[in-house]
Amino acid sequence: MSNEVRSVARALDILSAFSPAHPRLHLSELADAVGLPRPSVRRLAVTLMEHGFLRQAADGTYLLGPRLLELGGVVAEGSAIARRTREAADELARRTGETVLVAEVDWESLSLLIIGKRHPVRPAAAVTSAVGNRYPLASGCLAKAALSGLSPEGVAAVVPRLRLTARTVATIVDPRRLAADVDASRERGYAMQSGEFLAGMAGAAVPVYEDDRVVGALAVLGSAPRFPHSHLHRTGRLVRQVLSHHG
């Protein structure tokens, strides 16, 4: 490997050290995270700041820079699922007034990446995920919708590999119960949840396909009091109908 490629790899290691749990890092923390001496990390950090990939706060800590936001938008807009769902997401946001999320599934890491969001116009909106957040494939309507796009045999192979940890008191942590919920979601054409992923948040989602392969899910989410059981069913049917219309 050439020195130039090694330098690029080290710069990428620095950027990858940041996470939602650690959005600010001191130079010493960056050095520990990437396993490099502080002077080396400082030189790389200066270069990354010059190109907008890092910035430095008044207290000396480092944060990811605005250039990544620009590139993140390009990544999201360029994905197949973003193109597939753009018009449907816009229409659902207009018709429901609620939050609309688009998630891309990674079957290798068994995770969901939020790549699109339409913000709600209704008051007292539920807290929902931000674009760029990645979550393990588990409970919640986005995850169950993506799983429901698999065959029963596919679900039987994937569910035992999932890390089902309780995010709320309503999170499904029993693999058999999750598999049964996914089967029911496949039968009706949409998945539902209330408080499984975040307390106080409910919604419905459908799987999104590209060339007959499940690539993600599209969901309408909102405050749980606005989504009683009957409304969740209506919302699920609406998401399925709108996506089908724009497909």
Side-chain angles (χ1 to χ4, degrees), residues 34-85:
V34 301
L36 291 173
R38 293 188 194 183
S40 298
V41 172
R42 184 181 292 109
R43 287 194 296 271
L44 288 166
V46 168
T47 301
L48 289 169
M49 286 192 292
E50 289 174 349
H51 291 272
F53 291 98
L54 278 185
R55 55 195 174 97
Q56 194 168 23
D59 63 359
T61 57
Y62 293 92
L63 303 90
L64 293 176
R67 181 60 178 149
L68 290 169
L69 284 175
E70 300 170 17
L71 293 178
V74 175
V75 171
E77 288 303 310
S79 72
I81 187 173
R83 296 192 300 271
R84 172 81 173 80
T85 59

Side-chain angles (χ1 to χ4, degrees), residues 106-213:
D106 183 338
W107 294 112
E108 292 296 322
S109 64
L110 297 178
S111 64
L112 287 170
L113 175 66
I114 307 301
I115 65 165
K117 183 173 187 177
R118 306 298 188 274
H119 294 277
V121 297
R122 296 191 176 198
V127 175
T128 54
S129 302
V131 172
N133 283 3
R134 185 180 292 276
Y135 301 99
L137 195 65
S139 187
C141 62
L142 282 165
K144 291 189 294 187
L147 289 167
S148 73
L150 300 176
S151 65
E153 295 76 15
V155 172
V158 169
V159 168
R161 298 166 53 202
L162 303 180
R163 295 183 179 180
L164 304 180
T165 57
R167 295 180 58 92
T168 73
V169 295
T171 301
I172 299 175
V173 295
D174 181 351
R176 289 172 297 181
R177 183 182 164 205
L178 178 61
D181 199 326
V182 169
D183 288 342
S185 300
R186 185 189 305 106
E187 287 295 319
R188 61 176 172 256
Y190 54 88
M192 305 182 300
Q193 70 90 19
S194 184
E196 290 178 22
F197 191 78
L198 290 173
M201 185 264 283
V206 301
V208 178
Y209 299 88
E210 185 73 19
D211 297 328
D212 297 323
R213 184 175 63 90

